[in-house]
């Protein structure tokens, strides 16, 4: 029966105005909600929707995981159901508490809540063991004593059937006794495994007597040394879903071929049977998403850690200045696909720009400073000028910036030999200083030996004061600046793509490590910022006028040392792409 409560929620969602890149409303419905709607209609799960997010704690979460998180928690929200957090901690050798903690932190930060439903597959080890015993007793599982290499050899290929193991027809008693002894620690790693007894000639390789348990004399981050046999993913996963009463077990496409095995285990065990549904994993251009590869970048110190702002991890995006809202919006925009595809990283950048445009306070900062002395401005005089905090939201008010005889401008805003249509500063030309006056470049002071421009001598026109000047003089260019008397010194880190090619994982000739962009990080350590930034705290986000969105680094900012990360530059390549296409 259709649950009226759920229908209402879905209707409400339909009203929310989600726009895609062409500004057309995205229907929040997709093939997964269609399946769920149908299940609600037929009352397959008693009107319930219960999903789960099942990370393996062997790395930090990345933007692909965020897609899965938003999908699973989002469906539960949409249908008034529940979503569990379950750690798939079945592999003791690769998993660590550090990863568990980081995953919980990232999920909370993204804004999701699993109530008291935090689970670990390792909590089910005893139950899984009993299920295995049940299959052995039914003659549906056996202890195999072939070596791993032999097992691989017996498996056959996609074109040839596999061969049955000589141990396949052991009696249930013998299997039970061996399995108990495996658990008791009587054997070495690799001596025996427990396998499901299905079909060695199945066209689906996953059904060729898959391994359920292997011996690992390793201590586990939760069960310590209690176990020396560990369940394989395929054996643990579906049964964990069943134990938790999951209705829709959503996973990525590579598990489509595992679904018959998922179903086989549940059917043979005759226990509650969730529905597995697959969708395409999110791929993002100019990065890699495999945890193995991300770990390699960390271990080989290509990046400073899992939270290096160039990484695609949630912790890196957070440190770089992304907001949870922007990531959730992005996830919504990419939608749910049945086929693998590649999402342009420009769409992610578009989402954070859109969010920060509304929220971030505008300030002035000069990244590569050039000193300007305004010769007709009295020495020792300063004045406070009004500056608007956010033209998109005037309720954010105004602040005051200091103007003085000595200021800094961006080196790039001066050219000694300007091309046509250069409307900034050059010898003899005028430009407006944002919120201040029009100045004229009178003289260029250069290093005698190197010819480097050291300083500009300018004059200002007092009648051109922004907002209250009496002069109606107009100039084509406006530039940002910072007063030298109270500027804050800061370090700014600019980031570029971590990889040189769109899809570093599928470049035929080259390993992904050879495709790293050597210029993905630029550190500027003589930046000058307006004094209002003195009050900013780690994590605060700003728009530096004309330069982009920046955020105070949470790791390297210390008493007396400001470090800013550039989240994104201002130029929105996505908006441009979607306008021309
Ligand atoms: P890797 O392949 O790098 O080891 P994984 O998929 O094994 O990653 P898990 O911790 O098992 O990582 O993933 C937890 C959940 O997140 C799974 O349900 C998985 O399907 C989903 N997930 C992982 N990567 C992506 C992605 N790129 N897009 C969408 N969902 C993903
Ligand atoms: Mg996995």
């Amino acid at each position: 029966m259709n649950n009226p409560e759920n229908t209402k929620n879905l209707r409400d969602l339909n009203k929310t105005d989600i726009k895609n890149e062409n500004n057309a409303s995205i229907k929040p419905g997709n093939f997964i909600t269609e399946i769920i709607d149908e299940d609600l209609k037929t009352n397959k799960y008693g009107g319930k929707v219960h999903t789960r997010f099942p990370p393996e704690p062997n790395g930090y979460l990345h933007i692909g995981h965020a897609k899965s998180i938003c999908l699973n928690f989002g469906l539960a929200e949409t249908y008034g159901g529940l979503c569990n957090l379950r750690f798939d901690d079945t592999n003791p050798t690769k998993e660590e508490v550090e990863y568990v903690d980081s995953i919980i932190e990232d999920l909370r930060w993204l804004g999701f809540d699993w109530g008291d439903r935090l689970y670990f597959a390792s909590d089910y080890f005893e139950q899984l063991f009993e299920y295995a015993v049940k299959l052995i007793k039914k003659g549906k599982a056996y202890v195999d004593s072939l070596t791993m290499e032999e097992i691989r050899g017996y498996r056959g290929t996609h074109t040839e059937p596999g061969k049955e193991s000589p141990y396949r027809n052991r009696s249930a008693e013998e299997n039970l006794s061996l399995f108990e002894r495996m658990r008791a620690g009587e054997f070495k790693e690799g001596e025996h495994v427990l396998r499901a007894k299905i079909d060695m000639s199945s066209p689906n390789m996953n059904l060729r007597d898959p391994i359920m348990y292997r011996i690992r004399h390793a201590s586990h981050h939760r069960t310590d040394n209690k176990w020396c046999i560990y369940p394989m993913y395929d054996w643990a996963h579906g049964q964990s879903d069943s134990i938790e009463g999951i209705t829709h077990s959503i996973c990525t496409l590579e598990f489509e071929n595992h679904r018959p095995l998922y179903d086989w285990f549940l059917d043979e065990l005759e226990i509650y049977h969730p529905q597995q549904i697959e969708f395409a994993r999110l791929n993002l251009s100019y990065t890699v998403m495999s945890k193995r590869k991300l770990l390699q970048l960390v271990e080989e110190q290509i990046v400073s850690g899992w939270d290096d702002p160039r990484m695609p991890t949630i912790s890196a995006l957070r440190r770089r200045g992304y907001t949870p809202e922007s990531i959730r919006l992005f996830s919504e925009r990419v939608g749910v696909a049945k086929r693998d595809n590649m999402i342009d990283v420009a769409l992610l950048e578009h989402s954070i720009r859109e969010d920060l445009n509304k929220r971030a306070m505008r300030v002035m900062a000069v990244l590569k400073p050039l000193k300007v002395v305004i010769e007709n401005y009295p020495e020792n005089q300063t004045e406070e000028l009004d500056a608007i905090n956010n033209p998109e939201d005037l309720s954010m008010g105004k602040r005051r910036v200091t103007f003085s005889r000595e200021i800094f401008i961006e080196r790039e805003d001066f050219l000694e030999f300007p091309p046509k249509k250069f409307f900034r500063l050059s010898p003899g030309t005028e430009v407006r200083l944002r919120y201040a006056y029009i100045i004229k470049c009178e003289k260029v002071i250069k290093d005698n030996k190197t010819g480097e421009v050291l300083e500009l001598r300018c004059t200002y026109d007092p009648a051109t004061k922004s907002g209250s000047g009496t002069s109606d003089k107009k100039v084509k260019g406006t530039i940002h600046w910072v007063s030298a008397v109270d500027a804050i010194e800061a370090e700014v880190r600019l980031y570029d793509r971590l990889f040189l090619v769109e899809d570093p994982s599928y470049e035929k000739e080259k390993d992904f490590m050879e495709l790293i962009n050597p210029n993905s990080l630029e550190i500027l350590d003589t930046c000058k910022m307006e004094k209002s930034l003195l009050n900013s705290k780690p994590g605060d986000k700003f728009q530096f006028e004309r330069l982009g969105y920046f955020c105070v680094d949470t790791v390297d900012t210390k008493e007396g040392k400001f470090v800013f990360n550039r989240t994104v530059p201002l130029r929105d390549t996505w908006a441009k792409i979607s306008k021309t296409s």
Side-chain angles (χ1 to χ4, degrees), residues 53-56 62 64-65 68 250 252 279 281-282 289-291:
F53 173 65
E56 185 182 350
H62 53 58
H65 292 119
S68 173
I250 296 161
T252 39
F279 75 105
R281 59 172 54 227
L282 168 74
M289 218 83 96
S290 140
K291 282 186 277 190

Side-chain angles (χ1 to χ4, degrees), residues 369-375 405-416 422 424-429 431 433 439-446 452-459 479:
L370 173 61
K371 193 167 151 194
V372 173
V373 178
I374 298 162
E375 291 185 310
R405 182 180 156 89
E406 291 190 5
I407 62 169
F408 296 105
I409 65 166
E410 211 67 65
R411 230 160 228 289
E412 282 181 3
D413 284 335
F414 170 80
L415 275 184
E416 194 175 8
F422 182 80
R424 292 168 276 167
L425 215 49
S426 42
T429 71
V431 77
L433 296 175
I439 57 168
K440 181 175 182 189
C441 178
E442 309 283 358
K443 196 167 148 203
V444 184
I445 297 177
K446 293 200 264 189
E452 187 199 358
V453 176
L454 298 177
E455 186 181 308
L456 301 180
R457 295 286 167 146
C458 295
T459 50
I479 62 174

Side-chain angles (χ1 to χ4, degrees), residues 58-340:
N58 61 348
Y60 280 60
L61 294 182
H62 53 58
I63 186 74
H65 292 119
K67 169 69 224 173
S68 173
I69 291 162
C70 292
L71 181 59
N72 279 296
F73 281 93
L75 286 170
E77 236 165 63
T78 302
Y79 287 96
L82 297 171
C83 180
N84 296 355
L85 169 57
R86 181 202 317 142
F87 285 97
D88 239 314
D89 56 346
T90 50
N91 184 353
T93 54
K94 286 190 178 163
E95 296 163 2
E96 284 173 32
V97 178
E98 178 199 345
Y99 298 138
V100 171
D101 294 344
S102 76
I103 289 170
I104 289 179
E105 184 188 358
D106 290 349
L107 278 160
R108 288 240 165 84
W109 179 75
L110 280 172
F112 294 107
D113 180 24
W114 46 94
D116 55 1
R117 296 176 317 283
L118 166 61
Y119 301 120
F120 291 83
S122 56
D123 294 341
Y124 310 138
F125 280 175
E126 192 64 51
Q127 176 73 72
L128 289 169
F129 182 82
E130 277 161 35
Y131 283 156
V133 167
K134 187 169 166 182
L135 289 188
I136 293 173
K137 285 183 177 162
K138 270 183 88 173
K140 297 291 181 181
Y142 63 97
V143 172
D144 196 358
S145 311
L146 292 178
T147 63
M148 280 318 277
E149 208 172 310
E150 287 166 329
I151 289 177
R152 260 192 298 276
Y154 274 57
R155 218 170 156 229
T157 62
H158 284 286
T159 49
E160 280 167 58
K163 215 165 68 179
E164 293 187 354
S165 161
Y167 303 101
R168 196 173 196 261
N169 294 313
R170 278 174 164 153
S171 70
E173 291 71 37
E174 189 185 357
N175 280 323
L176 270 182
S177 150
L178 282 169
F179 188 47
E180 296 279 1
R181 290 173 61 200
M182 280 168 66
R183 174 181 182 167
E186 291 184 26
F187 304 115
K188 290 199 290 286
E189 290 190 6
E191 243 180 293
H192 306 286
V193 292
L194 186 75
R195 300 178 73 175
K197 194 171 178 176
I198 309 180
D199 179 3
M200 286 307 291
S201 57
S202 170
N204 183 339
M205 303 283 281
N206 294 308
L207 296 180
R208 293 185 187 174
D209 292 9
I211 294 173
M212 295 164 61
Y213 278 95
R214 65 230 189 292
I215 298 170
R216 283 275 179 284
H217 290 285
S219 113
H220 182 279
H221 68 105
R222 281 176 70 82
T223 58
D224 206 8
N225 293 316
K226 182 166 182 226
W227 294 88
C228 61
I229 54 170
Y230 288 95
M232 300 297 288
Y233 175 85
D234 277 333
W235 168 242
H237 194 78
Q239 282 50 257
S240 302
D241 282 345
S242 173
I243 292 167
E244 291 176 16
I246 299 305
T247 56
H248 301 86
S249 175
I250 296 161
C251 61
T252 39
L253 272 187
E254 69 272 23
F255 291 102
E256 196 170 17
N257 277 334
H258 297 236
R259 180 159 23 99
L261 177 58
Y262 183 99
D263 291 339
W264 187 90
F265 280 135
L266 294 165
D267 289 344
E268 289 297 339
L269 289 167
E270 297 166 73
I271 55 177
Y272 169 78
H273 196 146
Q275 172 69 51
Q276 178 179 304
I277 305 171
E278 307 87 17
F279 75 105
R281 59 172 54 227
L282 168 74
N283 296 306
L284 197 63
S285 59
Y286 297 99
T287 191
V288 293
M289 218 83 96
S290 140
K291 282 186 277 190
R292 180 183 62 77
K293 290 177 181 164
L294 295 175
L295 180 64
Q296 194 177 341
L297 293 171
V298 172
E299 284 182 337
E300 296 187 18
Q301 297 180 14
I302 304 296
V303 294
S304 64
W306 284 94
D307 67 350
D308 183 301
R310 291 166 291 176
M311 294 279 271
T313 56
I314 306 294
S315 52
L317 291 169
R318 173 168 62 236
R319 182 172 171 195
R320 182 147 168 181
Y322 276 77
T323 59
E325 291 79 3
S326 66
I327 293 175
R328 290 173 72 152
L329 182 65
F330 168 74
S331 291
E332 209 120 26
R333 283 186 165 142
V334 298
V336 184
K338 274 189 186 173
R339 289 270 169 78
D340 278 321

